[in-house]
């Protein structure tokens, strides 16, 4: 008997060890150790934060500021208040921004008129401070007024820890952002202006001078999946890079802030992007084709109605974590006809390993018309017994 017990105990121990080993294999590694002030890696489709280091720490955006400058311009174009072929008059302030310093510039001439599309390329590709000021003045009359517009857009986009004072990103105590906010700004840029965004993938731009200016984002050459977004550097901000890559139908966005060299900001950004694509996957969870539950429909032509989400809900999850996701619906409102698609009846909590990762409204997926007089009378009693109305 003792021999039997020892034999089976040994077998159970081997089985437990095997299960533990497999569990360890399913655990994804920690993100790369990035030597920078802060960073954030997000999934474009879901907005989920995949990896980070101090993502909400205040940092200087430097020339990544120009992403918001172009966002405002693209929105003006979308609204029909600005056009690519419009011409902006180059002020002395914009001209002097390049002439009187070693800052990046497009080499604009004072008093000249330059097409908006050229200014945009000068901002995006050449990172021209002179072009940024010229565009800001054309849109808002002055750079300070344009900065107010930038802050309005930042608030609208939910960039809670961002504030701008100029259009190009020169150092100022009141000009700040975070890695998370910049990643979300990049997401908004690509989502809202997919056609205009293509300028960010252009490798070079030539205006006036003998040789074209190369795009400062070296990842455009190193990795063909990268199609943007923007570099930034000042002595106080360090070397920064907001980048985006699209592979096999997925897009990730990374923001690396305060690296020590331009080469390292590219290396760090690529490490983060590779990590996200390798160890995370997009998992569809909810949508009109995936009802969560069926609930009673009172006073209606049908007795029940399916509930879920009208819009698809997908999460970017660690590889292999799909089976550990749990969805817990909570009905907070009785479904009483007439019921319209999208009528909120509760919430659904999505958890991974017991940790809440998302709350979504739970809504009726289809319409339910009001029933006849008898049905309504019977259901009035049913609701009374159920504590409803």
């Amino acid at each position: 008997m003792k021999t039997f017990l020892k034999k089976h105990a040994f077998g159970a121990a081997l089985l437990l060890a095997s299960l533990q080993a497999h569990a360890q294999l399913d655990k994804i590694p920690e993100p790369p150790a990035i030597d920078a002030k802060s960073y954030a890696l997000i999934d474009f489709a879901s907005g989920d934060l995949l990896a980070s280091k101090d993502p909400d720490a205040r940092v200087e955006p430097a020339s990544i500021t120009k992403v918001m400058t172009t966002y405002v311009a693209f929105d003006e174009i979308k609204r029909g208040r600005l056009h690519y072929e419009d011409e902006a008059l180059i002020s002395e302030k914009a001209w002097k921004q390049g002439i009187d310093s070693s800052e990046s510039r497009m080499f604009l001439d004072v008093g000249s008129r330059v097409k908006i599309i050229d200014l945009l390329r000068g901002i995006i590709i050449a990172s021209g401070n002179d072009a940024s000021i010229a565009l800001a003045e054309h849109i808002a009359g002055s750079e300070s007024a344009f900065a107010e517009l930038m802050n309005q857009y930042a608030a609208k986009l939910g960039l809670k820890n961002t504030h701008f004072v100029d259009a190009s990103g020169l150092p100022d105590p009141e000009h700040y952002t975070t890695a998370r906010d910049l990643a979300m700004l990049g997401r908004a840029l690509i989502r809202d202006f997919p056609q205009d965004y293509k300028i960010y993938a252009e490798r070079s731009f030539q205006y006036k001078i003998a040789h074209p200016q190369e795009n400062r984002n070296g990842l455009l050459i190193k990795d063909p999946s990268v199609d943007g977004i923007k570099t930034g550097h000042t002595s106080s901000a360090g070397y920064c890079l907001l980048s985006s890559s699209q592979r096999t139908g997925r897009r990730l966005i990374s923001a690396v802030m305060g690296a020590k060299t331009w080469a390292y900001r590219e290396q760090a950004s690529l490490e983060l992007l590779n990590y996200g694509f390798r160890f995370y996957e997009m998992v569809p969870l909810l949508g009109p084709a995936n009802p969560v539950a069926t609930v009673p429909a009172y006073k209606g032509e049908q007795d029940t109605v399916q509930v879920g989400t009208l819009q698809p809900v997908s999460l970017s999850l660690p590889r292999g974590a799909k089976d550990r996701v749990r969805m817990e619906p909570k009905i907070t409102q009785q479904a009483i006809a007439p019921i319209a698609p999208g009528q909120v009846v509760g919430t659904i909590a999505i958890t991974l390993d017991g940790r809440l990762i998302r709350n979504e409204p739970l809504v009726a997926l289809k319409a339910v018309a009001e029933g006849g007089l008898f049905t309504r009378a019977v259901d009035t009693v049913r609701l009374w017994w159920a504590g409803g109305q």
Side-chain angles (χ1 to χ4, degrees), residues 239-302:
Y239 290 87
C240 309
L241 178 57
L242 178 62
S243 54
S244 183
S245 169
Q246 188 169 26
R247 305 177 191 174
T248 60
R250 289 182 63 208
R251 180 183 289 280
L252 301 182
I253 299 171
S254 72
V256 173
M257 309 303 294
K260 294 179 181 177
T261 67
W262 64 265
Y264 183 74
R265 72 184 174 190
E266 294 178 4
Q267 174 189 328
S269 299
L270 199 54
E271 286 181 7
L272 284 173
L273 292 169
N274 288 339
Y275 173 81
F277 283 116
R278 179 70 180 88
F279 294 110
Y280 282 81
E281 59 185 349
M282 183 58 64
V283 178
L285 295 175
L286 298 168
N290 299 307
V292 172
T294 300
V295 302
Y298 296 99
K299 302 184 182 182
E301 290 184 347
Q302 290 86 41

Side-chain angles (χ1 to χ4, degrees), residues 65-379:
T65 297
K66 293 161 184 165
V67 176
M68 179 58 88
T69 302
T70 60
Y71 185 98
V72 175
F74 290 153
D75 195 51
E76 287 288 301
I77 292 169
K78 185 177 182 178
R79 293 170 182 269
R81 299 192 291 239
L82 185 70
H83 305 88
Y84 276 147
E85 298 304 310
D86 291 349
E87 293 185 340
L89 178 64
I90 307 306
S91 69
E92 184 174 358
K93 178 184 177 181
W95 168 72
K96 286 173 69 67
Q97 191 73 40
I99 296 299
D100 290 354
S101 72
S102 59
E103 297 163 9
S104 53
R105 57 193 185 274
M106 184 182 163
F107 299 95
L108 296 171
D109 289 329
V110 63
S112 64
R113 291 188 174 275
V114 181
K115 290 183 178 180
I116 299 302
I117 184 60
D118 289 332
L119 289 179
L120 285 166
R121 287 196 167 98
I123 293 168
I124 293 168
I125 301 169
S127 197
N129 289 354
D130 50 357
S132 299
I133 294 173
L135 184 63
E137 291 177 337
H138 182 78
I139 291 174
S142 69
E143 188 177 16
S144 60
F146 186 80
E148 290 184 24
L149 280 180
M150 296 169 75
N151 290 322
Q152 290 174 19
Y153 277 92
K156 179 182 176 182
L157 294 174
L159 310 183
K160 299 178 180 179
N161 299 298
T162 294
H163 187 264
F164 299 107
V165 298
D166 62 60
S168 57
L170 298 179
D172 186 286
E174 294 303 311
H175 193 92
Y176 56 82
T177 188
T178 68
R180 188 199 302 264
D181 277 4
L182 287 182
M184 296 307 292
L185 173 59
R187 180 181 183 232
L189 176 77
I190 299 167
R191 178 196 66 211
D192 298 341
F193 311 109
Q195 294 303 314
D196 304 286
Y197 171 69
K198 292 178 180 180
I199 301 174
Y200 276 91
E202 296 180 11
R203 301 282 186 84
S204 64
F205 172 62
Q206 187 169 358
Y207 181 81
K208 281 185 48 186
I209 58 177
H211 303 287
Q213 297 191 68
E214 300 297 321
N215 195 314
R216 299 178 181 221
N217 184 0
L219 288 188
L220 293 174
I221 298 173
K222 293 180 179 179
D223 187 333
S225 74
V226 173
D227 55 12
I229 302 174
K230 189 73 186 72
T231 61
H233 171 258
T234 66
S235 58
S236 54
Y239 290 87
C240 309
L241 178 57
L242 178 62
S243 54
S244 183
S245 169
Q246 188 169 26
R247 305 177 191 174
T248 60
R250 289 182 63 208
R251 180 183 289 280
L252 301 182
I253 299 171
S254 72
V256 173
M257 309 303 294
K260 294 179 181 177
T261 67
W262 64 265
Y264 183 74
R265 72 184 174 190
E266 294 178 4
Q267 174 189 328
S269 299
L270 199 54
E271 286 181 7
L272 284 173
L273 292 169
N274 288 339
Y275 173 81
F277 283 116
R278 179 70 180 88
F279 294 110
Y280 282 81
E281 59 185 349
M282 183 58 64
V283 178
L285 295 175
L286 298 168
N290 299 307
V292 172
T294 300
V295 302
Y298 296 99
K299 302 184 182 182
E301 290 184 347
Q302 290 86 41
D303 293 334
T304 61
V305 62
Q306 291 183 326
V307 298
T309 63
L310 285 179
Q311 298 300 320
V313 174
S314 298
L315 296 182
S316 193
L317 298 173
R319 185 189 60 194
K322 180 180 179 180
D323 293 339
R324 307 200 305 274
V325 172
R326 298 291 180 268
M327 293 185 284
E328 302 172 9
K330 182 179 181 181
I331 305 301
T332 58
Q333 299 288 332
Q334 301 281 15
I336 302 174
I339 300 167
Q343 183 172 318
V344 176
V345 298
T347 60
I348 181 166
I350 304 172
T351 62
L352 174 62
D353 297 330
R355 177 176 60 88
L356 180 66
I357 54 177
R358 184 78 67 86
N359 254 321
E360 291 286 337
L362 201 57
V363 305
L365 296 180
K366 294 183 178 180
V368 177
E370 192 175 50
L373 182 62
F374 179 76
T375 298
R376 298 201 306 273
V378 170
D379 282 356

